[in-house]
Amino acid sequence: MIDAVALVALALLIAGVIASVVPGVPAGLLSLAGVYVEFLFGSGDMTYWLLFSFTVVGVLAVVVDLFGGAVAARGRGASGTTTLIAAVTGLVLFFVAGPIGVVVGMFLAVFLLELRREDRSFDEAWDNGVWATAGMLASGLAVFLLVTSMLVGYVVFVLWLGSGTTF
């Protein structure tokens, strides 16, 4: 039987997985909230080692979510200003055109802003736009996998194995 605290924790972990595919929603923080609800208010089946493991994965998800696309763009040579404007453009276009707006907006913002730079050719601007967009999509996939692993870990180590675990 699952108690109310476990249901809240499970709901937050599931919300984290769903949020991982929605730009601008902090999937890692939702998942961490679920873990800490269980640890603080649950039946005591979560050990400190398990809490530490969940925390490391959750913090990694937050960092990847916040900086994954920017790191890819910067690694390819896009300016910090371009990266920031592209992120804001993608977020705004999410509310106008949904997830497709984010992808197209990110690409176009990086491409057009990089094309305006005097030291960039068309091909370099195009490559930066592609890399920034690919980095954003890859970081989204990484966040999805990280928060999904937290959900699976919670179900296996806390709900299924319960206090019988030695982790």
Side-chain angles (χ1 to χ4, degrees), residues 33-119:
V35 167
Y36 277 88
V37 162
E38 175 66 39
F39 182 76
L40 295 172
F41 305 109
S43 60
D45 290 340
M46 187 182 302
T47 64
Y48 286 110
W49 178 247
L50 195 54
L51 177 68
F52 173 75
S53 300
F54 282 135
T55 302
V56 168
V57 174
V59 168
L60 183 60
V62 170
V63 169
V64 168
D65 198 12
L66 290 174
F67 301 112
V71 168
R74 292 286 295 149
R76 184 66 181 138
S79 72
T81 304
T82 295
T83 304
L84 179 64
I85 292 171
V88 171
T89 301
L91 185 60
V92 169
L93 286 176
F94 171 73
F95 295 106
V96 175
I100 298 297
V102 175
V103 174
V104 172
M106 170 71 92
F107 172 77
L108 286 177
V110 171
F111 172 68
L112 294 174
L113 289 168
E114 287 294 297
L115 194 58
R116 285 189 47 199
R117 290 176 56 180
E118 293 178 11
D119 62 336

